[in-house]
Amino acid sequence: MSYGVTASTLRDMTHIPPPAVELRILDAELYQLDARRTQLLHRRAWLLTVLQPGPPAPVMPPPPAPPRPETTAPGVQNVLLLLGGILLTLAAIAFTLVSWGSMGITGRALVLGAVTLATLGAPVVLLRRGLRSTAESLAGLGLALTVLDAYALHEAAFPAGDGVTFAATAATVLTALWTAYGLGLPALLGGEPPSPTLLLPLPAAVAIAQLPLPLWAIAAGGGPHTITTALLLTAVIDMVLALRVSPKAVRLVATVAAFTMGAWGVLAAGQLSLDATGAGAAARAAALFALAAAGAFGATWLSSDVRVRTGTAAAGGLFVVVAVGGMLRATLPADGTVPGYLACGIALLALVRGRLPETVRHGLGWASAAVQASAVLWALPVTTVTLFGPVAWLTRVWSGTPADAREAVTTDAFWPAHTAATPLVLAAVAAVLISTLRTTEWRPRALTAALTLTWATALTIPTTLQLPYSVGLLAQGLTIIALLALARRTATLLALATSLSLTAVSLATEPATLAVLASLTAVFALATWRGRLAPASAAASLAYATALACATGAALDWQPEHIALLVLAVPVAAALLAARISDPSTTLAVESAGAVAGVVAISLSALELPMFALVLALCGAIAAGTAVRPDRRAVGYVAAALFVLAMWVRLSVWGVGSPEAYTLPVTVPALLVGAWRRRRDPDVSSWTAYGPGLAATLLPSILTAWSDAHWTRPLLLGTAALAVTLLGARHHLQAPLALGGGTLVLDALHELAPYLAQVVGALPRWAPPALAGLLLLALGATYEQRIRDARRVREVLGRMN
């Protein structure tokens, strides 16, 4: 076809083929496609049938895998060698201890000597052949045999000799022998001495080397000081080995031995220092600690690890403090023991500022900090008793003036002995913190800790010095004022804790209680005007004002319900203050404290119903005054609830039993609020706006009306229900229409119930079944009519199709 043909020409051209022919062609093609699709579907179904699994063919299980070995060949070898060495050692012990008497002295010596020499020489041959593990096992057996040789030698040649001296000698010889054996094997093998071939002999030599010096000290008849010196010297030697010897196993054993022997030596020296009763004994104990300190500082000098150097320097500093402090303790009274040690710990800080290496200075600083922390822990019991001991006065209110400040806090508590220097210790540590920690990172923490220690100092001075009771109260009051003047978070918390303790202490006498509560109320009220911690101060001031009101009423011998009226002054003041405060958090704290005071007043008046109603009404008035503020509109619900409760209590006092008297005061405000709400928001449902208010009166009234034999209540209730129904119909509101109509129907049924009963009684017995039959017939006819209408609709639709 030519591309020059126009669109109008194409529209008028005859179709080739004609449309009828083309339609038949398309129908034929579609039929063939349907037939082909049906054939393919049948083929697919047959294939699925063929491929469906039949009974499972027996599958031969795979051959079992060879069992996996649970241990490696070297592991089995080591276990076997270890067990063999243990068994041989046990056999040698049994031979030495049990079968020894069956042989002569010569035979016994020859047998053990030959076995020992053979056992110690076998590792040389085994090492040349590469059997290292076997050589280690035989070497261990040989070392054990040398111990048995020493025992056999003592039993055979020196049975009556000094056992301790022989043990010291044997331990010395065995140490030298095992050391020579471990260092000499490389020479026998042609290697270099610095690299021993066996691992066991040298660590074993280090382990046995822990015995010679203590045993020689015991054998020489040395006392506790001599034995302790031997332990410390042994620990020093172990320390040198741990830091200077290259084999790892030797270093490990030497490190463990150094800590073990050093710990025993330091504990023994500490016990000797505590038991020292004179300057000479204290000096000898101090010399032991000086030896321990020398060893620790020697480790600091020998080690290259920063952590080790810092730790050993700290240990050395502690040993020096204990040495000098022990000497001071022997010359000072019992109360000066802890201050003496603390003075020595603080003196270490002079070395921290010297020209010593940095790691040493850090270690000495940690040592001084440990001493000061220990001194603070020692002072903690006195601080705890002073702070929490006055709680016992809660069960002894106004029972009498204590003799002094200490007796005021130890009514049911025990005062620790020898604690007269507690304030001095706390003040000294606080001064050190302020003067020492000046870095930017630690300065805030140091100031907080120093503030806490200074507070503890001021708190414990009256009780420690047994000042008069009134002086103790004054001291705590001044402490509170000083803390609040700082306007810091920590200071405020400490002031609150001190005020609670002061309040408890003041419960001993009536004048003290009133004076303290009045002072605390004023002090915290003044603190509210400064600083960012006004919420806590304001709440505390109102809380103490509430306590003051209660205490004043009790002092005047008022009854609790009359005290409640005095307590209500606090919520009134809180409501007035909250309206003038601009800070939201302070406002919330003041209102919360006022609410708590209101609850206290309500609780005090709960046992006297007339006064209870009055207090509830007054609290409702306070809440209503608060609800006047735009941001406290929700308090209006609380005010309404309080007013309703007050009215209910008053009605119960008057003996009013009519439910409407209780429900109408709820219904009327609720309907007014609902009308106001729908006026502002027309989309509010009538059930939300009017439902609760109407139900509050209609439901109790209809329940009461059904049991009321008089006509007045049903008549009035019916009239009110009719009015509510008409209003609901007039304004198209569901809630009034449903509630009013339902109440009207129930009220009418109540009034007509006697007549209905008479009518039912006058009917013949066949009437109810007849009525039921008529009802069923009517329902059946209606059902049939609906079915016929549905059939007609279906026929019409069929004719249309």
Side-chain angles (χ1 to χ4, degrees):
M1 184 180 295
S2 175
Y3 290 97
V5 180
T6 62
S8 57
T9 305
L10 288 175
R11 285 195 298 267
D12 295 334
M13 290 179 62
T14 304
H15 291 280
I16 300 175
V21 176
E22 185 177 359
L23 180 61
R24 288 196 298 271
I25 294 173
L26 291 177
D27 289 338
E29 292 289 338
L30 291 173
Y31 176 80
Q32 292 179 1
L33 290 175
D34 290 337
R36 181 60 178 169
R37 185 175 184 275
T38 303
Q39 180 183 2
L40 293 176
L41 289 175
H42 284 294
R43 181 67 178 175
R44 181 179 182 274
W46 180 80
L47 291 175
L48 291 175
T49 304
V50 172
L51 293 177
Q52 284 182 355
V59 180
M60 297 299 293
R68 184 177 181 182
E70 297 181 356
T71 184
T72 60
V76 174
Q77 164 195 304
N78 293 333
V79 170
L80 294 177
L81 292 175
L82 178 62
L83 292 176
I86 293 174
L87 292 176
L88 287 176
T89 302
L90 294 176
I93 294 173
F95 170 76
T96 305
L97 298 179
V98 178
S99 302
W100 189 260
S102 61
M103 300 179 65
I105 183 66
T106 305
R108 287 177 282 181
L110 290 176
V111 169
L112 277 178
V115 172
T116 303
L117 290 176
T119 304
L120 293 176
V124 178
V125 180
L126 293 174
L127 287 174
R128 288 176 177 175
R129 296 187 177 183
L131 303 176
R132 183 185 184 87
S133 299
T134 307
E136 292 283 357
S137 299
L138 288 179
L141 176 60
L143 298 178
L145 288 176
T146 57
V147 178
L148 295 177
D149 286 337
Y151 172 75
L153 181 61
H154 176 267
E155 293 296 323
F158 307 100
D162 184 11
V164 178
T165 303
F166 184 85
T169 305
T172 305
V173 174
L174 289 177
T175 301
L177 177 62
W178 292 3
T179 304
Y181 182 69
L183 296 176
L185 277 178
L188 296 176
L189 295 173
E192 297 181 357
S195 57
T197 306
L198 294 179
L199 298 178
L200 185 59
L202 290 180
V206 174
I208 198 68
Q210 309 308 307
L211 301 178
L213 288 179
L215 289 177
W216 280 118
I218 297 173
H225 292 81
T226 305
I227 298 174
T228 304
T229 302
L231 292 173
L232 293 174
L233 287 175
T234 304
V236 171
I237 296 173
D238 293 332
M239 177 268 300
V240 174
L241 292 176
L243 295 176
R244 287 303 182 184
V245 176
S246 57
K248 185 176 180 180
V250 176
R251 293 202 309 270
L252 179 61
V253 175
T255 302
V256 174
F259 277 104
T260 304
M261 302 301 287
W264 278 108
V266 169
L267 290 176
Q271 187 63 43
L272 293 173
S273 179
L274 292 176
D275 294 339
T277 57
R284 288 194 296 271
L288 295 176
F289 278 108
L291 176 60
F297 287 127
T300 304
W301 178 68
L302 292 175
S303 177
S304 58
D305 187 85
V306 175
R307 291 177 297 180
V308 174
R309 289 169 61 88
T310 303
T312 53
L318 289 176
F319 296 154
V320 171
V321 169
V322 176
V324 181
M327 296 178 64
L328 293 176
R329 187 192 64 82
T331 59
L332 294 175
D335 291 333
T337 300
V338 175
Y341 284 107
L342 179 61
C344 297
I346 296 175
L348 284 180
L349 297 177
L351 299 176
V352 173
R353 298 181 179 180
R355 297 183 179 181
L356 297 174
E358 183 179 2
T359 54
V360 177
R361 289 189 285 109
H362 285 172
L364 294 177
W366 284 111
S368 178
V371 174
Q372 296 178 59
S374 301
V376 172
L377 290 178
W378 170 80
L380 185 61
V382 174
T383 307
T384 303
V385 171
T386 303
L387 186 63
F388 296 103
V391 176
W393 287 105
L394 293 175
T395 60
R396 298 179 176 87
V397 177
W398 298 350
S399 58
T401 305
D404 51 44
R406 180 181 297 183
E407 183 179 341
V409 301
T410 55
T411 304
D412 289 339
F414 173 75
W415 186 260
H418 306 301
T419 54
T422 298
L424 177 62
V425 170
L426 295 172
V429 177
V432 169
L433 287 173
I434 295 175
S435 61
T436 303
L437 296 177
R438 299 179 179 275
T439 59
T440 306
E441 179 183 1
W442 289 95
R443 188 64 176 175
R445 303 175 188 176
L447 292 177
T448 302
L451 174 62
T452 305
L453 292 174
T454 305
W455 163 76
T457 303
L459 191 68
T460 56
I461 285 177
T463 55
T464 304
L465 301 181
Q466 293 182 291
L467 298 179
Y469 172 69
S470 59
V471 176
L473 296 178
L474 180 61
Q476 287 191 342
L478 294 177
T479 302
I480 294 172
I481 294 174
L483 289 171
L484 292 176
L486 296 177
R488 294 168 57 93
R489 184 183 301 273
T490 304
T492 303
L493 294 177
L494 294 176
L496 291 173
T498 309
S499 66
L500 294 175
S501 178
L502 176 59
T503 303
V505 172
S506 69
L507 294 176
T509 62
E510 177 183 325
T513 302
L514 297 176
V516 166
L517 291 177
S519 301
L520 290 177
T521 302
V523 167
F524 280 102
L526 292 176
T528 306
W529 298 102
R530 56 171 301 174
R532 55 188 177 86
L533 300 174
S537 301
S541 178
L542 292 174
Y544 286 118
T546 304
L548 177 61
C550 296
T552 302
L556 296 175
D557 291 332
W558 287 5
Q559 295 298 321
E561 59 271 15
H562 298 133
I563 297 176
L565 296 176
L566 187 60
V567 173
L568 283 179
V570 177
V572 173
L576 295 176
L577 290 174
R580 294 179 174 273
I581 298 175
S582 58
D583 182 29
S585 58
T586 306
T587 302
L588 180 60
V590 169
E591 291 176 344
S592 301
V596 172
V599 172
V600 172
I602 293 173
S603 302
L604 290 173
S605 63
L607 297 179
E608 186 69 22
L609 292 183
M611 190 62 67
F612 186 39
L614 177 60
V615 171
L616 287 173
L618 293 176
C619 290
I622 297 171
T626 303
V628 173
R629 293 160 47 196
D631 57 338
R632 291 293 186 269
R633 298 298 190 193
V635 184
Y637 296 104
V638 179
L642 290 173
F643 282 130
V644 170
L645 289 176
M647 184 173 295
W648 286 357
V649 173
R650 175 54 61 182
L651 290 174
S652 66
V653 172
W654 290 339
V656 177
S658 177
E660 290 79 10
Y662 295 90
T663 58
L664 285 177
V666 177
T667 296
V668 174
L671 293 178
L672 293 177
V673 172
W676 173 76
R677 186 174 180 183
R678 276 186 59 85
R679 185 174 181 181
R680 296 188 60 183
D681 186 6
D683 294 334
V684 175
S685 171
S686 63
W687 290 102
T688 303
Y690 305 118
L694 293 174
T697 295
L698 293 178
L699 294 180
S701 297
I702 193 61
L703 293 176
T704 307
W706 271 81
S707 60
D708 193 349
H710 301 283
W711 60 270
T712 307
R713 184 188 301 275
L715 178 60
L716 294 177
L717 178 61
T719 304
L722 178 61
V724 171
T725 305
L726 294 177
L727 288 174
R730 171 69 178 79
H731 297 284
H732 305 284
L733 299 176
Q734 291 183 0
L737 188 62
L739 293 175
T743 304
L744 184 61
V745 170
L746 293 176
D747 188 67
L749 288 176
H750 173 265
E751 292 300 310
L752 297 176
Y755 303 102
L756 293 176
Q758 293 178 2
V759 172
V760 172
L763 290 175
R765 293 187 176 181
W766 54 264
L771 293 176
L774 291 175
L775 178 62
L776 292 176
L777 287 176
L779 292 176
T782 303
Y783 187 74
E784 182 182 7
Q785 179 67 32
R786 290 180 179 179
I787 292 176
R788 187 175 60 183
D789 293 341
R791 186 182 297 113
R792 289 179 179 179
V793 171
R794 186 176 60 184
E795 291 176 356
V796 171
L797 292 176
R799 286 194 300 269
M800 291 175 64
N801 194 23

